Amino acid sequence: MLAAYITTTGPATNLVIGEMATPTVGPHDVLVRVTCAAINPIDTYIRSGAMAQMIGSFPYIPGCDLAGEVTAVGSDCSQFQIGDRVWGSNQGLFGRQGTLAQLASVNEGWLYPIPAGVSDENACAAALVGITAQLGLFNHADIKSGDYLFINGGSGGVGLTAIQLAKHARAIVVATAGSEAKRQLCQQAGADLVLDY
């Protein structure tokens, strides 16, 4: 399979695109034909060496987020079948090979079905930012209808997702952004008030 990988940490020029062995599928793993992979800031930190402890071994394939189609399932898998469309996040962390490849072997617990009508690109793009916003707003801040929420830097992936989720929960959202175009993005996402930080 083709993959983007590194053999040592450093600048983006260290990324090599080449052939790598097809990943093995363990009993609880699902083999996914990757149709879309996203690059998040954490992926660049790991590749650069700033978070090299996340790398298990070289060559290392970066990438946390993916969307794709199940092509094989491990003997103890029960959640997915061949042909299912799935998305996932947190793949390229803690020694796991990442998603910048044609195929990825992923523990079924890290995968979720893509709802009908949602594109692979949208599922993949929303993965890590959606999880981060969801956990922050509802697991930690317990946002409810009528609550005020301040989002500093609302025009990034997590910020825009947090605005939308908070508005869905009927919170009152104040966000900041650094340019007129970014402030308009925040307003389009639903922010009640947007300030120039």
Side-chain angles (χ1 to χ4, degrees), residues 23-194:
T24 58
V25 179
H28 297 282
D29 296 334
V30 172
L31 189 65
V32 178
R33 180 181 58 82
V34 178
T35 57
C36 185
I39 304 281
N40 292 286
I42 192 168
D43 300 317
T44 64
Y45 306 150
I46 295 167
R47 187 252 320 130
S48 74
M51 297 180 71
Q53 72 274 16
M54 297 285 191
I55 298 172
S57 62
F58 292 104
Y60 167 73
I61 302 170
C64 287
D65 297 347
L66 70 96
E69 181 180 334
V70 173
T71 62
V73 294
S75 58
D76 294 338
C77 287
S78 60
Q79 297 179 39
F80 299 103
Q81 299 176 8
I82 293 172
D84 286 349
R85 294 175 58 234
V86 295
W87 69 273
S89 188
N90 295 308
Q91 179 57 25
L93 306 175
F94 305 110
R96 295 186 296 268
Q97 290 288 357
T99 61
L100 302 183
Q102 290 178 313
L103 297 165
S105 181
V106 183
N107 182 286
E108 71 175 340
W110 291 102
L111 292 172
Y112 309 90
I114 297 176
V118 175
S119 71
D120 289 2
E121 292 82 4
N122 284 340
C124 184
L128 189 58
V129 297
I131 291 168
T132 303
Q134 172 74 24
L135 291 174
L137 291 175
F138 302 105
N139 289 40
H140 298 287
D142 195 25
I143 292 295
K144 295 179 186 63
S145 178
D147 285 352
Y148 283 84
L149 176 68
F150 173 70
I151 301 173
N152 192 26
S155 65
V158 174
L160 286 171
T161 305
I163 290 170
Q164 293 173 71
L165 290 175
K167 289 310 297 179
H168 184 73
R170 296 188 173 92
I172 300 156
V173 177
V174 177
T176 65
S179 72
E180 182 57 33
K182 291 178 180 181
R183 288 189 290 279
Q184 287 179 10
L185 278 174
C186 293
Q187 287 176 327
Q188 291 167 2
D192 297 287
L193 176 64
V194 184

